[in-house]
Amino acid sequence: MRIGILGSGLMGGKLGTIFARAGHEVVFSYSHSTEKLKKLGRHGTPREAVQEADAVLLAVHWSRVDDVLHQAGDMSGKVIVSCSLPMNADDTGLVIAHTSSGAEELAKKAPKARVVSAFGTVPSEVLFDVFERRRNATKPSLVYCGDDSKSKKIAAQLIRDAGFDPVDAGPLRIARYTEPFTLLIAQLAYEGNKGPELAYRFDWLGK
Amino acid sequence: MRIGILGSGLMGGKLGTIFARAGHEVVFSYSHSTEKLKKLGRHGTPREAVQEADAVLLAVHWSRVDDVLHQAGDMSGKVIVSCSLPMNADDTGLVIAHTSSGAEELAKKAPKARVVSAFGTVPSEVLFDVFERRRNATKPSLVYCGDDSKSKKIAAQLIRDAGFDPVDAGPLRIARYTEPFTLLIAQLAYEGNKGPELAYRFDWLGK
């Protein structure tokens, strides 16, 4: 697949690198540092990253969503896999929650695109660890949700490519639960004493 | 320990049974059915369940919290381990979220008690499975949070006794994240196709 990265920071830089190692054609864009973009690999403007992309990873701070969508231009029919959490400016809390979610608001901002919420629920620090263990029998889970089954299949494939076991959590509105879950993960990863390399797994126990 | 059960429904009935099997002295209370209370074992009024209890499990529907607290009487100094989620009357959504949580509101309702939020994040259907596997090396996680370290130690012990690996998620306000997480768990358990016997595990991956 061809994957455009909108936001080449901690999450976007690492996930794009992982997608490239998994064999995808990746175009990075939208970093504070052109130097960083050069180091990451093939790069361009947000518009160039989105053009001809089979999937677009949105990984910008919430305060940048409007700007990057504006720069990206026409997103009609595009699959947007978003890990952008609707955090306030000082990253202490959600600005959208309970009665809506960042993912649902994003879908309103880009109504012609097909939004899947994924990859937000794990710290960037664990991504390479999980990818390197991708041939292990037991993989960490990664929840995703969305309203369009075709784009959810693409997201599930990317989740598998990154070494996780995709767990379909249902429609996009379930992001109202997965986004606070991400803050629980962040609490355990950054406020506990076991370090940020945290993954999670759902297990259905048989009789 | 002596444990009083306030609310002997699906969660309270099963958890109390598990605590009793783990060697604790359990007093059940507050069920629609006296017949059910009799079958569960030692039982009494909420006031009797709370008297001399080292820990009280609150496991009533949110709409019943005020009533059961009223019936229980003085809770000064009591450890309340709560799995009561602040659900609306038809169980379709949280009535408290984002800017507060059921656990924090409970702490306001019982200001002299010491509230720990625990056990809400797993379906009742998985409890016996997990308890029966309690000698396995790898146990499912169970998050808990609270503001009082002594009562958190008691909650962690009960979590271990039930066969889970306790994961301290920090202060009581983290229930703002664990309660929506419970709705994610409920979505996966009751709306997916893999059944309700769902447990989760957090893993910190070393270098």
Side-chain angles (χ1 to χ4, degrees), chain A residues 75-186:
Chain A
M75 298 279 270
S76 299
K78 293 289 177 191
V79 175
I80 303 181
V81 178
S82 174
C83 63
S84 288
L85 209 64
M87 298 302 284
N88 59 18
D90 59 359
D91 282 325
T92 54
L94 296 168
V95 291
I96 299 159
H98 186 32
T99 54
S100 185
S101 60
E104 290 165 281
E105 294 307 307
L106 173 64
K108 287 180 199 160
K109 288 172 188 286
K112 291 180 179 167
R114 297 175 291 171
V115 172
V116 182
S117 174
F119 291 110
T121 54
V122 284
S124 66
E125 288 86 345
V126 86
L127 292 172
F128 285 128
D129 284 341
V130 171
F131 182 66
E132 277 155 23
R133 295 167 193 218
R134 66 193 176 279
R135 307 210 199 286
N136 287 9
T138 305
K139 296 170 176 54
S141 300
L142 197 96
V143 291
Y144 65 107
C145 60
D147 291 331
D148 177 69
S149 64
K150 203 172 145 193
S151 50
K152 284 176 81 170
K153 274 182 195 149
I154 289 173
Q157 186 57 50
L158 290 176
I159 290 168
R160 266 188 294 271
D161 291 341
F164 292 90
D165 194 6
V167 174
D168 185 351
L172 199 62
R173 66 174 170 74
I174 300 301
R176 296 176 192 188
Y177 311 143
T178 61
E179 291 174 1
F181 172 49
T182 300
L183 295 206
L184 172 62
I185 292 284

Side-chain angles (χ1 to χ4, degrees), chain A residues 44-67:
Chain A
T45 63
R47 191 176 297 263
E48 288 162 349
V50 165
Q51 271 167 7
E52 294 169 50
D54 300 298
V56 172
L57 178 75
L58 183 74
V60 297
H61 190 275
W62 189 251
S63 59
R64 298 286 183 153
V65 168
D66 288 335
D67 182 56

Side-chain angles (χ1 to χ4, degrees), chain B residues 55-187:
Chain B
V56 172
L57 178 75
L58 183 74
V60 297
H61 190 275
W62 189 250
S63 59
R64 298 286 183 152
V65 168
D66 289 336
D67 183 56
V68 78
L69 288 179
H70 176 75
Q71 290 194 36
D74 183 20
M75 298 279 271
S76 299
K78 293 290 177 191
V79 175
I80 304 181
V81 178
S82 174
C83 63
S84 288
L85 209 64
M87 297 302 285
N88 59 17
D90 58 359
D91 283 324
T92 54
L94 296 168
V95 291
I96 300 159
H98 186 34
T99 55
S100 186
S101 60
E104 290 165 281
E105 295 307 306
L106 173 64
K108 289 179 197 160
K109 289 172 187 287
K112 290 178 179 169
R114 298 176 290 172
V115 173
V116 182
S117 174
F119 290 110
T121 53
V122 285
S124 66
E125 288 86 345
V126 86
L127 293 171
F128 285 128
D129 283 340
V130 171
F131 182 65
E132 277 155 23
R133 296 167 193 219
R134 66 194 176 280
R135 306 207 201 286
N136 287 8
T138 304
K139 296 170 176 54
S141 300
L142 197 97
V143 291
Y144 65 106
C145 60
D147 291 331
D148 177 69
S149 65
K150 205 172 144 190
S151 50
K152 284 177 80 170
K153 273 183 194 149
I154 290 173
Q157 186 57 50
L158 291 175
I159 291 169
R160 265 188 294 270
D161 290 343
F164 293 90
D165 194 6
V167 173
D168 184 351
L172 199 62
R173 66 174 169 74
I174 300 301
R176 296 176 192 190
Y177 310 144
T178 61
E179 290 174 2
F181 171 50
T182 300
L183 295 207
L184 172 63
I185 293 284
Q187 168 77 13

